C-alpha cells in the first residue's frame, strides 16, 4: 500500500502532503475521528514516507518508494524505527505477564514502549515514528506521563495519537499536538466497497448506513456476513422484536441477544486473530446495541422528519410500528440509555447484565432506569 491509496481522506492527505513539502511537519499529532475511517492506515503511510530513504515526488505528491531497505522492512512489519503502541502490549511489559487484557491504555505500556524509546536515536532511518492506538483510553496519569515528550520531542521523532473521542484527552495533551480531523466516509463509496467484497446490494446499503461513515466497521460486518455469522438476519429479527416485546419478555429476549452476540463473536474471533477475545466480545455486543440504536433513531426521525431516509429502509413497516410505540421524547431517552450501555460495554461490565438492563429499559419508560 502507498500514500496514494488512502481511501477517501483527501483533506487529511493534503494537510500531510503540504507539511512534508514544507519540511515543517508536527512532531506530535492527534488523528481524530470515528473508528474505522483510516486513521491507522494513514498514520502508517505517513510513517513509511517519513522513514523512506528515497521518497518519490511526482506532481507535488510525495510517496514512499516501496523499494528501499526502510520500505521493505516497513512492509515486513519489522522496521526498527516504527513503533506501534497499543494496550495489549501490557503483556510484554516488565510486570505484565499473565495479566488480563487491559481496558485502559496502561501507563507501563506508555513508559516502556514510548517514553523509554523516544530518547534513543533512530537506527536505520533518519526519523522515528510512534503511533499510539486508542489514545482515548489513556488515563490521566498516562497522559501526564506523556506530556514532557509531547512538549519537546527530539527533532527526529513523530508521535501520532489516534483518537476516537477527543473530549477524553486532557487540554494539556491537546495543546501540545496538531489535531487532524478525519471525516466520515461517503455512504456510496462504502456500498461500492462492500459490493466488491460480494455483499448483496440491500445488505451493503444497510451496513453502510449503520456504519455512519466508518468503512472499517462496515467491512467487518460484511466479512462476518460472508463468514455466515448471520448478522443481517439477526438484525431483522432484533428490530422486529423491539416492536412487540413486553416487559415480561425482556429477560428472554436479552438471553437470545446474548447468544447471538456470542455466535457473532466466535466467527469474529476466527477472522481477527490479532485482537483479544475480550475486545472481540465487546465489539460484537456493541454491534448489536448499535442495531438497536439505529432502529430507535429511525423511529424518532420518522416522528420528526418523515421524509428522511431510514437506516432500516428494509424494515419500513416495523419502524413505523416502533414509531407508534415510542414517541419522539421516549425514543430520544431510550437512545441515550443505549449510549450509556455502550459505555458500560467499554468499561467491561458483564454482558448478560448489560443486555438485561438494556431490554428492561427499552420495555419500560418509568422504572428500572440506568
Ligand atoms: Zn523507500
Amino acid at each position: 500500500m502507498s500514500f496514494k491509496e488512502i481511501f477517501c481522506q483527501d483533506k487529511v492527505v493534503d494537510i500531510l502532503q503540504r507539511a512534508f513539502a514544507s519540511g515543517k511537519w508536527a512532531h506530535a499529532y492527534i488523528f481524530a475521528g470515528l473508528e474505522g475511517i483510516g486513521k491507522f492506515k494513514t498514520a502508517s503511510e505517513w510513517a513509511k514516507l517519513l522513514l523512506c530513504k528515497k521518497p518519490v515526488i511526482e506532481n507535488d505528491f510525495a510517496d514512499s518508494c516501496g523499494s528501499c531497505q526502510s520500505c521493505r522492512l516497513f512492509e515486513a512489519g519489522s522496521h526498527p524505527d516504527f513503533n506501534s503502541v497499543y494496550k495489549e502490549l501490557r503483556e510484554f511489559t516488565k510486570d505484565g505477564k499473565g495479566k488480563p487484557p487491559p481496558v485502559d491504555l496502561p501507563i507501563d505500556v506508555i513508559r516502556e514502549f514510548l517514553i523509554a524509546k523516544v530518547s534513543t536515536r533512530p537506527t536505520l532511518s533518519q526519523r522515528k515514528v510512534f503511533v499510539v492506538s486508542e489514545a482515548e483510553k489513556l488515563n490521566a496519569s498516562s497522559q501526564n506521563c506523556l506530556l514532557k515528550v509531547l512538549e519537546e520531542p527530539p527533532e527526529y521523532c513523530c508521535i501520532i495519537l489516534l483518537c476516537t473521542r477527543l473530549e477524553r484527552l486532557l487540554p494539556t495533551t491537546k495543546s501540545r499536538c496538531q489535531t487532524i480531523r478525519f471525516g466520515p466516509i461517503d455512504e456510496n463509496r462504502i456500498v461500492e466497497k462492500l459490493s466488491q467484497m460480494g455483499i448483496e446490494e440491500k445488505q451493503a446499503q444497510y451496513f453502510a448506513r449503520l456504519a455512519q461513515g466508518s468503512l472499517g466497521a462496515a467491512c467487518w460486518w460484511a466479512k462476518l456476513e460472508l463468514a455466515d455469522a448471520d448478522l443481517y438476519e439477526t438484525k431483522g429479527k432484533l428490530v422486529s422484536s423491539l416492536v412487540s416485546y413486553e416487559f415480561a419478555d425482556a429477560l428472554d429476549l436479552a438471553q437470545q441477544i446474548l447468544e447471538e452476540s456470542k455466535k457473532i463473536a466466535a466467527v469474529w474471533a476466527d477472522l481477527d486473530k490479532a485482537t483479544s477475545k475480550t475486545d472481540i466480545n465487546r465489539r460484537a455486543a456493541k454491534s448489536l446495541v448499535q442495531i438497536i440504536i439505529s432502529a430507535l433513531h429511525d423511529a424518532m426521525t420518522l416522528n420528526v422528519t418523515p421524509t428522511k431516509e431510514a437506516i432500516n429502509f428494509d424494515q419500513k413497516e416495523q419502524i413505523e410500528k416502533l414509531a407508534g410505540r415510542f414517541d419522539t421524547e421516549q425514543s430520544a431517552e431510550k437512545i441515550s440509555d443505549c449510549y450509556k450501555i455502550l459505555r458500560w460495554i467499554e468499561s467491561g461490565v458483564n454482558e448478560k447484565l448489560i443486555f438485561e438492563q438494556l431490554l428492561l429499559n427499552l420495555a419500560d419508560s418509568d422504572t428500572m432506569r440506568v
Side-chain angles (χ1 to χ4, degrees):
M1 172 134 180
S2 74
F3 216 88
K4 279 193 202 75
E5 290 164 57
I6 293 171
F7 195 72
C8 293
Q9 289 297 349
D10 300 348
K11 266 192 203 155
V12 171
V13 169
D14 190 49
I15 294 171
L16 293 173
Q17 282 290 327
R18 275 187 281 145
F20 189 81
S22 67
K24 289 184 198 144
W25 43 275
H27 292 274
Y29 284 104
I30 294 169
F31 284 5
L34 284 175
E35 213 173 302
I37 49 174
K39 298 187 300 296
F40 186 79
K41 280 205 173 99
T42 308
S44 299
E45 290 309 320
W46 176 241
K48 195 174 164 197
L49 173 62
L50 288 178
L51 298 173
C52 174
K53 291 184 180 253
K54 290 180 206 154
V56 181
I57 297 166
E58 262 176 52
N59 302 325
D60 294 332
F61 193 96
D63 213 334
S64 47
C65 75
S67 55
C68 70
Q69 191 194 8
S70 168
C71 285
R72 277 184 283 126
L73 282 173
F74 193 93
E75 271 161 32
S78 48
H79 199 296
D81 301 318
F82 177 68
N83 299 271
S84 176
V85 181
Y86 48 97
K87 64 182 192 310
E88 285 76 14
L89 283 176
R90 178 166 75 174
E91 207 188 325
F92 306 101
T93 57
K94 218 163 39 147
D95 302 317
K97 204 164 168 39
K99 286 191 181 165
V103 173
D104 280 343
L105 188 43
I107 194 163
D108 293 354
V109 170
I110 295 299
R111 277 205 193 106
E112 291 180 38
F113 289 92
L114 200 156
I115 295 171
K117 292 183 169 193
V118 157
S119 52
T120 55
R121 293 198 64 85
T123 50
L124 178 79
S125 298
Q126 290 186 336
R127 298 172 182 132
K128 210 166 180 177
V129 183
F130 294 84
V131 177
V132 181
S133 295
E134 300 185 280
E136 66 280 359
K137 292 185 177 160
L138 286 164
N139 55 30
S141 48
S142 299
Q143 289 190 51
N144 284 325
C145 167
L146 255 179
L147 285 184
K148 198 170 155 29
V149 175
L150 291 178
E151 188 158 54
E152 289 171 348
E155 36 72 43
Y156 51 78
C157 258
C158 182
I159 300 168
I160 307 167
L161 307 180
L162 310 182
C163 182
T164 54
R165 296 180 64 188
L166 264 184
E167 77 279 5
R168 287 285 177 90
L169 296 180
L170 299 173
T172 40
T173 304
K174 286 189 269 196
S175 67
R176 284 161 174 80
C177 302
Q178 180 185 342
T179 299
I180 299 187
R181 288 173 194 271
F182 284 60
I185 292 174
D186 183 69
E187 183 184 306
N188 293 330
R189 300 295 299 272
I190 300 182
V191 172
E192 213 176 285
K193 198 90 175 174
L194 300 194
S195 304
Q196 284 166 7
M197 290 168 72
I199 296 290
E200 65 177 74
E201 202 187 322
K202 198 161 83 175
Q203 299 184 3
Q205 188 80 52
Y206 169 73
F207 286 134
R209 287 195 186 165
L210 183 67
Q212 296 192 303
S214 168
L215 176 68
C219 283
W220 273 117
W221 292 325
K223 282 183 204 161
L224 287 170
E225 204 54 33
L226 294 170
D228 298 326
D230 300 330
L231 185 59
Y232 186 73
E233 197 190 315
T234 301
K235 97 95 186 166
K237 284 194 271 179
L238 186 51
V239 172
S240 300
S241 1
L242 288 181
V243 175
S244 55
Y245 86 98
E246 298 295 337
F247 196 78
D249 313 324
L251 297 185
D252 282 344
L253 187 55
Q255 184 59 33
Q256 284 170 33
I257 299 177
L258 179 65
E259 277 158 26
E260 293 296 345
S261 179
K262 283 185 182 159
K263 179 180 161 190
I264 293 164
V267 179
W268 209 326
D270 270 348
L271 294 171
D272 183 2
K273 304 252 191 277
T275 305
S276 72
K277 283 241 162 70
T278 323
D279 273 9
I280 298 238
N281 289 341
R282 272 184 214 142
R283 281 193 207 166
K286 273 165 72 182
S287 301
L288 293 175
V289 178
Q290 273 170 278
I291 288 172
I292 295 176
I293 293 178
S294 79
L296 292 167
H297 188 268
D298 282 345
M300 186 174 75
T301 312
L302 190 65
N303 281 328
V304 185
T305 42
T307 47
K308 206 165 170 261
E309 273 266 55
I311 303 170
N312 294 278
F313 64 94
D314 50 347
Q315 285 185 289
K316 244 179 159 171
E317 204 184 309
Q318 282 90 341
I319 295 300
E320 276 166 16
K321 284 185 187 156
L322 198 60
R325 180 173 187 176
F326 302 133
D327 64 22
T328 313
E329 200 183 330
Q330 284 170 326
S331 308
E333 270 175 22
K334 287 171 194 304
I335 290 173
S336 142
D337 285 349
C338 288
Y339 278 106
K340 278 183 209 156
I341 293 285
L342 283 179
R343 289 199 285 279
W344 283 15
I345 295 177
E346 277 300 328
S347 42
V349 178
N350 172 296
E351 276 156 32
K352 185 169 190 292
L353 192 73
I354 280 173
F355 286 126
E356 286 177 357
Q357 188 67 65
L358 175 65
L359 273 295
L360 289 170
N361 276 346
L362 286 177
D364 192 280
S365 42
D366 303 315
T367 53
M368 302 296 286
R369 314 280 312 155
V370 171

